Amino acid sequence: MGQIRTSPALGDWLLFAVLAAPHVLYAFVWLFPGRWRAVFRRSPLNTFAAFATALKVLQFSMVILWWLADEWGVPQVTKVPATHLLLGVGLVGVGQVSFCLLRTADTFKLKNEKPSVLQTLNVSMYNAIGKKGVYYGEKLGSKVPWCTSFPFNVVSHPQYVGSVLSIWGVFALVYAQGPATLCTVATYWTGLYFVTGLIEQFL
């Protein structure tokens, strides 16, 4: 069991920086698409998608390393209270569904079907507007039709809402077995999505 800390340590600040990295990339591409296109002329959208994916992998890898660095060990499901388990699984389930389901739906051209229970916020958003819509295709020279169907008729930024629900779902599952700064990390991560949403909404 690691030492209980109530204030951020060096590892926390490193985690904060890594968590912010994708959002810094999103903000740069959104605010300065011309500069991005000038550097990556051959395939600005695919390059952006590749960078975003790589940074996401780095994010989650850093979260795991941050957790293990304090020797908290692997969270045990048997130690999670039943109410927290239901809340956590529910939030994660609503917020995120494997993108494999999305790829399958896209392959079989199911984009015009009514959303099923499995097509929750993140997957439905990707399914509704596709890769070009998710990765700022309109900013990077692609034509992206304006989407008013599900999930955009429910929330303005479904991907970000889904991600935030997932963050707090995981928090509900593991917070009793982790460091005291875990709530700070979850709140900070949520704030990053909030700021990114504001940038896309108003800038």
Side-chain angles (χ1 to χ4, degrees), residues 147-184:
C147 181
T148 57
S149 60
F150 186 85
F152 291 92
N153 57 354
V154 178
V155 291
S156 298
H157 298 282
Q159 184 183 23
Y160 301 154
V161 173
S163 296
V164 167
L165 289 176
S166 295
I167 290 169
W168 288 102
V170 173
F171 173 80
L173 291 173
V174 303
Y175 86 95
Q177 302 178 53
T181 51
L182 187 60
C183 184
T184 303

Side-chain angles (χ1 to χ4, degrees), residues 31-54:
L31 296 173
F32 307 105
R35 294 184 182 181
W36 183 269
R37 293 171 64 181
V39 175
F40 302 103
R41 295 179 181 179
R42 300 184 65 178
S43 186
L45 189 144
N46 288 332
T47 304
F48 175 38
F51 269 99
T53 301

